[in-house]
Amino acid sequence: MPSTHVDEETGAKVLGSWQRVQEGLDACGVILLRNVMDDEELAALLQSPGFDKGNLETNEDFVRQAALAIKTINDVVERIDRLEALTPYLKGLGARCAHYGGNPRHFDVLDTALTGMLESQLGDEWTVQLQAAWTVAFEAVKAVMIPAL
């Protein structure tokens, strides 16, 4: 079973990099959700009737979902060094994802979308070491959420 623990050094790398993108958090949410929408199955789950995938940034539903997604990620990342305390929250989040049709494969899509967003926002600061830290953190989060699906 994957670890649900994030050590102090890894947590510091993740949190430090997240703090560098926080100023543009709304834009990060749009980038993240746009990346997620590249997956047809997830896009279908997220779209409401009349959803215009071609002009996402002006779609109120998309912008609302992007803001909610990035706020949720922000809440988790800000406590990544205390992940054990977030276990009830993460299990509840996993159960909510299941309610909307979420499945374990969607976490891989989210991981790719999040990595792409971080890489685009951090530029040269996005290193192999930083990606490894985010991988450890995301795997720990998945280890709690997926069993709740």
Side-chain angles (χ1 to χ4, degrees):
M1 177 174 188
S3 174
T4 58
H5 176 74
V6 175
D7 66 63
E8 189 175 323
E9 181 181 352
T10 300
K13 286 179 183 177
V14 168
L15 187 55
S17 62
W18 188 253
Q19 288 170 341
R20 291 191 293 280
V21 301
Q22 275 185 321
E23 188 172 305
L25 215 50
D26 289 339
C28 289
V30 168
I31 293 166
L32 173 76
L33 206 54
R34 181 174 277 288
N35 291 348
V36 167
M37 297 296 276
D38 288 341
D39 182 86
E40 289 184 28
E41 180 185 345
L42 260 173
L45 289 174
L46 294 170
Q47 292 175 18
S48 57
F51 197 88
D52 178 10
K53 190 175 175 189
N55 201 6
L56 295 174
E57 287 79 3
T58 60
N59 182 298
E60 288 180 25
D61 190 40
F62 175 83
V63 172
R64 182 187 56 76
Q65 288 182 41
L68 180 60
I70 207 71
K71 181 194 177 309
T72 302
I73 292 169
N74 186 67
D75 290 347
V76 173
V77 171
E78 285 188 338
R79 295 164 186 84
I80 200 70
D81 58 341
R82 300 178 308 278
L83 199 56
E84 291 81 6
L86 281 177
T87 297
Y89 172 75
L90 291 173
K91 285 182 178 181
L93 192 56
R96 260 196 327 264
C97 289
H99 174 75
Y100 291 106
N103 67 58
R105 188 190 71 78
H106 296 156
F107 286 88
D108 295 333
V109 174
L110 181 58
D111 185 16
T112 300
L114 181 61
T115 299
M117 183 275 295
L118 288 165
E119 186 174 9
S120 74
Q121 296 304 294
L122 293 171
D124 291 341
E125 292 180 58
W126 184 251
T127 62
V128 173
Q129 296 83 5
L130 193 51
Q131 183 171 357
W134 274 92
T135 298
V136 167
F138 197 71
E139 289 297 318
V141 170
K142 284 174 28 178
V144 176
M145 289 183 68
I146 287 177
L149 292 175

